[in-house]
Amino acid sequence: MTLRRLPSSPAAPPLEDDNLLAEILLRLPPLPSSLPRASAVSRRWRSLASDPRFSHRYRAHHRRNPTHLGCFVNDFRNILFQPALEAPNRIPPCRFALPIDQDDHFRLLGCRHGLVLILHSSRNQLLVWEPVTGDQYRLDIPPGSGDTVSAAVLRPAGDGRYFQVAASVYSSETGLWGNLTTAPCVYPGMPAVMVGDSLYSVAIGRPFGILEFDLGVGRPCIIPMPEDNNAEEIRDKWLIRAEGGGLGFLLLSGFSLQLWKRQPNCDGVASWVLGRTIALDKLLPINSDDEQIPVILGYAEDNNVVFVWTSIGVFMVRLESLQFQNFFESEYWYGYYPFEGVYTADKGMDGQHNGAELLQNT
């Protein structure tokens, strides 16, 4: 008796397999228009791209290479969102309206990993706000914090569900504050920069230097700045991530921007080394004869972009490529808080899907 092999069922085409299609969509660029464009292909694609579980996976997949979506700009009267992208990726400012009455007493402390940290003094609370989803988390400031509160927000590596606030350290996973950390007063106009597992801020007063807070150890220490710097000229300097990793330092002298890097010598002792020097009057369309010298306003750490105020506007400068663009026209310099994240356009503030709105603005 001869056995005959039954014909096997043909494999589904790749784009008909929901699991494989999800993996393909997951790898679309983290731009606001990516998923709305995919949703326009078919009803099936729209159902997958708009699934909240997929949106969560998409944001988590791109969390470590987020897009610079714009800045929260403090003009000393209001704090408004200024988009950085062109259409169809430009996010309407109203989508990221602060969830606090502008007449309240509050201060932005910084942005990181798609989160915004706000000191809401009127309520004696820290507010962790996720603009993309609209989620808010209010934390009572721990007793013994004193009159001055400085803090930073972050998400632990590999887990997009939880966040940490380092003031001391609060974990949303446990719902608890760690031991209160005593540290020098830090300059409030410069949010902390995260390098590796440490947060760095500029400490003012005594001692003056760079405050390093190791998240693993939970203890602060002071490291020196390059050269002989002082607190009176704090606007001329900014902490950054150095090229190739490690802590970096920007020093602005007139129209000359110096990039320093802290690196160990052959004996393992870390010191500051001067890397590149950028002549801003040669890079940007500005005149060195201008009496108004540039001012550093902010820094987007994941995209390595510095914001520089000049007499003709605010420029975004990518420190690696030296590409720049005129971001915002202003005669005055304000507080700039760059916001980097993954905008999935799940729902608008009115509860409706707003992906189509982005595409209509092309």
Side-chain angles (χ1 to χ4, degrees):
M1 179 177 178
T2 302
L3 296 177
R4 295 169 54 186
R5 177 178 295 178
L6 296 176
S8 58
S9 300
L15 296 185
E16 297 300 322
D17 185 321
D18 282 353
N19 292 329
L20 184 55
L21 178 58
E23 293 300 317
I24 293 173
L25 296 183
L26 197 65
R27 287 157 176 79
L28 291 174
L31 295 172
S33 66
S34 290
L35 293 185
R37 286 182 184 275
S39 297
V41 172
S42 69
R43 183 175 298 177
R44 177 169 158 267
W45 283 41
R46 181 167 58 253
S47 176
L48 178 58
S50 60
D51 188 319
R53 292 170 298 180
F54 175 79
S55 297
H56 176 81
R57 285 186 62 202
Y58 184 81
R59 289 193 296 270
H61 180 79
H62 292 289
R63 184 157 286 130
R64 298 303 168 180
N65 63 321
T67 301
H68 173 236
L69 299 175
C71 285
F72 290 97
V73 180
N74 182 1
D75 66 0
F76 308 117
R77 293 168 300 180
N78 300 297
I79 296 180
L80 303 174
F81 181 73
Q82 177 67 29
L85 303 175
E86 300 296 332
N89 295 301
R90 190 175 183 83
I91 299 172
C94 62
R95 297 294 178 196
F96 287 172
L98 258 67
I100 294 180
D101 190 321
Q102 296 279 4
D103 292 331
D104 273 9
H105 295 290
F106 65 93
R107 177 165 61 90
L108 259 67
L109 298 179
C111 310
R112 181 174 292 104
H113 299 160
L115 301 171
V116 179
L117 182 62
I118 302 171
L119 173 61
H120 197 171
S121 304
S122 300
R123 296 191 180 186
N124 198 35
Q125 290 179 329
L126 290 171
L127 169 62
V128 178
W129 172 43
E130 188 170 4
V132 172
T133 64
D135 293 340
Q136 300 178 36
Y137 311 88
R138 292 189 172 272
L139 316 174
D140 292 329
I141 296 175
S145 297
D147 297 330
T148 303
V149 176
S150 58
V153 67
L154 64 137
R155 293 188 190 273
D159 195 334
R161 296 173 297 170
Y162 303 111
F163 64 85
Q164 292 179 335
V165 173
S168 67
V169 177
Y170 172 90
S171 169
S172 65
E173 184 174 7
T174 62
L176 300 173
W177 286 97
N179 294 328
L180 188 65
T181 300
T182 302
C185 182
V186 301
Y187 176 56
M190 185 188 306
V193 64
M194 186 173 182
V195 181
D197 293 326
S198 295
L199 292 163
Y200 295 89
S201 305
V202 172
I204 55 179
R206 301 292 181 183
F208 177 65
I210 298 172
L211 176 67
E212 177 184 14
F213 185 84
D214 189 315
L215 293 167
V217 177
R219 287 197 306 268
C221 68
I222 294 291
I223 60 179
M225 289 189 176
E227 297 192 338
D228 185 18
N229 291 286
N230 57 67
E232 285 73 21
E233 298 173 350
I234 196 70
R235 276 284 174 184
D236 299 337
K237 52 186 70 69
W238 211 272
L239 299 176
I240 63 171
R241 291 178 179 175
E243 296 179 19
L247 178 64
F249 186 89
L250 290 179
L251 180 59
L252 182 60
S253 177
F255 292 85
S256 178
L257 185 64
Q258 297 178 352
L259 280 72
W260 293 75
K261 179 177 181 177
R262 189 165 174 82
Q263 61 185 31
N265 60 18
C266 57
D267 297 322
V269 179
S271 61
W272 289 103
V273 176
L274 177 61
R276 293 183 294 158
T277 298
I278 302 170
L280 292 179
D281 56 329
K282 301 295 191 297
L283 176 67
L284 304 177
I286 56 178
N287 191 340
S288 59
D289 294 332
D290 196 327
E291 294 181 358
Q292 295 179 301
I293 62 174
V295 177
I296 302 173
L297 295 182
Y299 173 70
E301 62 185 33
D302 285 314
N303 286 270
N304 202 19
V305 172
V306 65
F307 294 79
V308 180
W309 178 89
T310 72
S311 60
I312 62 172
V314 176
F315 287 88
M316 298 192 314
V317 180
R318 296 187 177 276
L319 293 176
E320 292 184 6
S321 65
L322 295 186
Q323 294 178 321
F324 67 88
Q325 71 181 77
N326 195 333
F327 174 63
F328 188 66
E329 293 185 4
S330 174
E331 296 181 1
Y332 308 99
W333 51 265
Y334 304 130
Y336 277 66
Y337 300 85
F339 181 71
E340 301 167 291
V342 183
Y343 185 74
T344 50
D346 295 334
K347 291 185 181 297
M349 296 175 67
D350 56 359
Q352 300 298 316
H353 195 279
N354 62 19
E357 177 185 336
L358 286 173
L359 296 184
Q360 288 170 0
N361 292 330
T362 54

